[in-house]
Amino acid sequence: QVQLVESGGGLVQPGGSLRLSCVGSGFGSDYHAIGWFRQAPGKEREGVSCISSVDGGTYYVDSVKGRFTISRDTAKNTVYLQMNSLKPEDTGAYYCAAAIWGMLRCPIPSDEYGYWGQGTQVTVSS
């Protein structure tokens, strides 16, 4: 049974930092990809970042390049999203998702992720 649990969200001032964690279980450590998505009220879900265990490749949406960093700790089955220089437009619910079939090269379309976490809220406001 695949499970994903996010944590690390919160309220932060513009320019601040947060680190989100996604702990996964129930799938192999060497053949999967983890994606981070976000959804702001009234907006569509957006793919933010992705990391593949197959080739180590990563992906960032243009709006977060240079500010967000995705990484993985295989021993802890955890993927992190380090978010720096946060802006009000980064506000939203952040979800991690796991893809465990297919080519697993980032970026991966959202409909190819078979498993999703419950989300963690990020609010950037002064």
Side-chain angles (χ1 to χ4, degrees), residues 8-28:
L11 172 65
V12 64
Q13 292 186 342
S17 298
L18 285 173
R19 188 178 77 161
L20 305 184
S21 299
C22 173
V23 181
S25 61
F27 54 90

Side-chain angles (χ1 to χ4, degrees), residues 1-56:
Q1 180 180 357
V2 175
Q3 288 189 324
L4 299 167
V5 180
E6 305 99 329
S7 62
L11 172 65
V12 64
Q13 292 186 342
S17 298
L18 285 173
R19 188 178 77 161
L20 305 184
S21 299
C22 173
V23 181
S25 61
F27 54 90
S29 63
D30 58 354
Y31 198 79
H32 65 275
I34 299 294
W36 282 100
F37 294 79
R38 66 186 178 189
Q39 188 164 22
K43 294 188 176 181
E44 292 187 355
R45 184 174 59 194
E46 175 186 41
V48 175
S49 186
C50 170
I51 187 165
S52 170
S53 72
V54 175
D55 62 358

Side-chain angles (χ1 to χ4, degrees), residues 52-73:
S52 170
S53 72
V54 175
D55 62 358
T58 59
Y59 160 82
Y60 300 93
V61 68
D62 285 348
S63 60
V64 308
K65 286 181 180 177
R67 300 188 298 122
F68 290 13
T69 303
I70 192 169
S71 63
R72 56 195 291 258
D73 184 332

Side-chain angles (χ1 to χ4, degrees), residues 104-126:
L104 301 180
R105 263 57 169 188
C106 296
I108 297 171
S110 62
D111 60 0
E112 293 186 15
Y113 288 90
Y115 304 92
W116 294 79
Q118 82 289 348
T120 185
Q121 178 67 33
V122 172
T123 303
V124 184
S125 175
S126 54

Side-chain angles (χ1 to χ4, degrees), residues 12-17 83-88 124:
V12 64
Q13 292 186 342
S17 298
M83 306 186 296
N84 299 328
S85 302
L86 283 162
K87 304 176 181 180
V124 184

